Amino acid sequence: MSELLELTAAQAGERVRAGELKPAELFELYRDRAAADELGSYLWVADGAPPEIAPASPLGGVPLGVKDLFCVKGVPSMAASRILEGYKPPYTATAVERLAGAGAPVLGKTNMDEFAMGSSNENSGFGPVRNPWDTERVPGGSSGGSAAAVAAGNAPWAIGTDTGGSIRQPAALCGIVGLKPTYGAVSRYGMIAFASSLDQCGPLTRDVTDSALLFRHMVGRDRCDSTSLDYPQEVELPGAEKLDGIRFGIWGLEEEGVEPGVVESCRAAIAKIEELGGSVEEIELPHAAYGLSAYYVLAPAEASANLARYDGVRYGRRNGNGDLTSMYEETRHDGFGAEVKRRIMLGTYALSSGYYDAYYGRAQRVRTKIADDFREAFGRVDVVVTPTSPTVAFKLGERTENPLAMYLSDYFTVPMSLAGIPAVSIPAGLSDGLPVGLQLAGPAFSENRILDAAHALEQAIGFDGGAAHA
Ligand code: GLN
C-alpha cells in the first residue's frame, strides 16, 4: 500500500504545496483506487487528472469525492435515481465549483440513496454500497458512497449532503468525521433538492482538520441561493488540545433502543472530555423525541413539491406512448424507486387541503419547539453531545422491509437539522469491531467551536481508522 494513503488530505495537500508530490501523481493514485473500488462507492470516476491543478492552491490539488446529488457540468449527476439516468447538467454546483477553484478537483461521483432518502444506501437506483469495516453491512446513508470511499482510502476526502443525518450517520457507521454545517452556511445551488429547508452540504473526511479545511472553502453567500449567508467569521483550522472551561451537555444515552456498545463508547469519550478539562452535565431536550415524527411530515412534504419537476419533459428519462398523461405516469412509475414514491405520497397527503394544518402545520410547530429546546440548552452549555446513531452499522437487508426501523437511524441527528444548527460526528471507538460515532452540536455558526472541541477529543481518543483500508 502506498504510504501516501496514510496521509490525511491536509497532509497530502501540504506535500503538494511543498513541491514534494505532483498533484497529477496524487490524482492518479486515487483515480485508480476509485476505479477499482469494489464497495459500490462510485457511480462515475474521472478519466484523468484535470490539465492544470495549481500546486500552490489552498487545497493542494487533493481530489474530492462528490456525492451524486451535486450537479457537475457535463458529468452524469443523477442523485442515484433512474429518473435522472443520462442527465448531464449544464452547470456546476457552487460548493463543488468553490472547492475545485481552491484546488480540490472532482475525483468521482459517489453513490447514495436515491434523492438522499435513506439511511443505508440501499435505496440507490444503482445498487447498494458496502461498509469497508464489514462488507455484509451497510455504510449508512444517504451519503454512503462518500463515507465508504473515504473510510476505505478510495477518496482522500468527500462531500455529501445532510437533510436529517445523511452526512453524520454514514460518517459514524464508517468510522470517519462528518460535518453538517449551519443551515445557510453553504450554498445549495446545484444540489438536487430533497427538502430545501433542511438540505445542507458538508465534508466527510478522515479527521477533523480535513473537515475544517474543506468547510473553510465551501462557505459564504452565493447570489444563486437566497438562503445562503456570509459566514460571520473566518473558518479556522482546529488546534485545541484542551477543553478547559467548555461546558458539554449530554443527551440521549438513556434513550430506548441505543445499543449498549454505543453507550459504552460514548461514555468512554465523555470521560475523556472531563480529563481534558471540559465540564459535563446531563441535559434535557424535551421535544427532541418528536423530531423524527415532525421530520417525516416536513421532509416528504417538501420532497413531494421538489420532485414534481421530474415529469419526463425536462430531465433524464422519458417513457410512455407519446400521450402526455402516459408520459408523466410511466416516467414517474419507472424512474422513481419505492422509497421515493412512498415519500411523494406521504408528502402529498400531508399537504392536501383538510389535512394541511393537522400534519404540516403541527409539524412546523414541533420544529419551533425543538429549536427552542436547543436555544435553552445553549444558555447553560456550549456543546450538546449525543451518540450519532443508536446502533453500529447493520446488516444489508436488515431494515429494508421496515421503513420505520430504518427511520429510527436518524433519531439523534434529525433534531439538529430541524433547528438548523451545526453538528459534527467523530469516531468515538469500536463496538464489536464496528465504529461508533459521537455527535457534537452547537448554536448556529459555532462551527469553529465544535470543530475545535472535536479536534481536542479526537486527539485524546486516538481512533485508528486504518483497519478499513484494504
Ligand atoms: N435518513 C433520512 C431520510 O431518509 C435523512 C436523509 C438525509 O439526511 N438526506 O430522510
Side-chain angles (χ1 to χ4, degrees), residues 117 194 292-305 332 338-353 355-356 358-360 363 403-404 407:
M117 298 176 188
F194 164 14
L292 271 185
S293 314
Y295 174 86
Y296 276 99
V297 171
L298 298 173
E302 294 186 30
S304 71
R332 290 170 72 82
E339 182 64 25
V340 174
K341 287 177 184 152
R342 183 180 297 126
R343 305 272 179 118
I344 292 172
M345 285 190 281
L346 274 171
T348 307
Y349 180 78
L351 291 177
S352 54
S353 71
Y355 294 107
Y356 182 92
Y359 293 110
Y360 187 79
L404 291 181
Y407 296 171

Side-chain angles (χ1 to χ4, degrees), residues 145-219:
S146 289
V150 171
N154 296 340
W157 51 10
I159 53 172
T161 62
D162 190 311
T163 304
S166 278
I167 289 175
R168 293 161 283 163
Q169 185 258 13
L173 270 45
C174 289
I176 62 168
V177 175
L179 169 70
K180 183 206 83 84
T182 305
Y183 184 80
V186 184
S187 169
R188 287 180 295 108
Y189 182 67
M191 269 166 59
I192 296 170
F194 164 14
S196 309
S197 78
L198 296 156
D199 298 342
Q200 261 299 282
C201 73
L204 292 106
T205 59
R206 289 195 202 160
D207 73 359
V208 176
T209 302
D210 281 358
S211 273
L213 189 55
L214 274 187
F215 180 59
R216 172 191 270 182
H217 293 281
M218 296 163 81
V219 293

Side-chain angles (χ1 to χ4, degrees), residues 8 46 54 75 127 141 168 177 211 239 243 256 262 336-337 438:
T8 65
V75 165
R168 293 161 283 163
V177 175
S211 273
L243 296 172
E256 202 186 315
V262 169
F336 288 138
L438 186 77

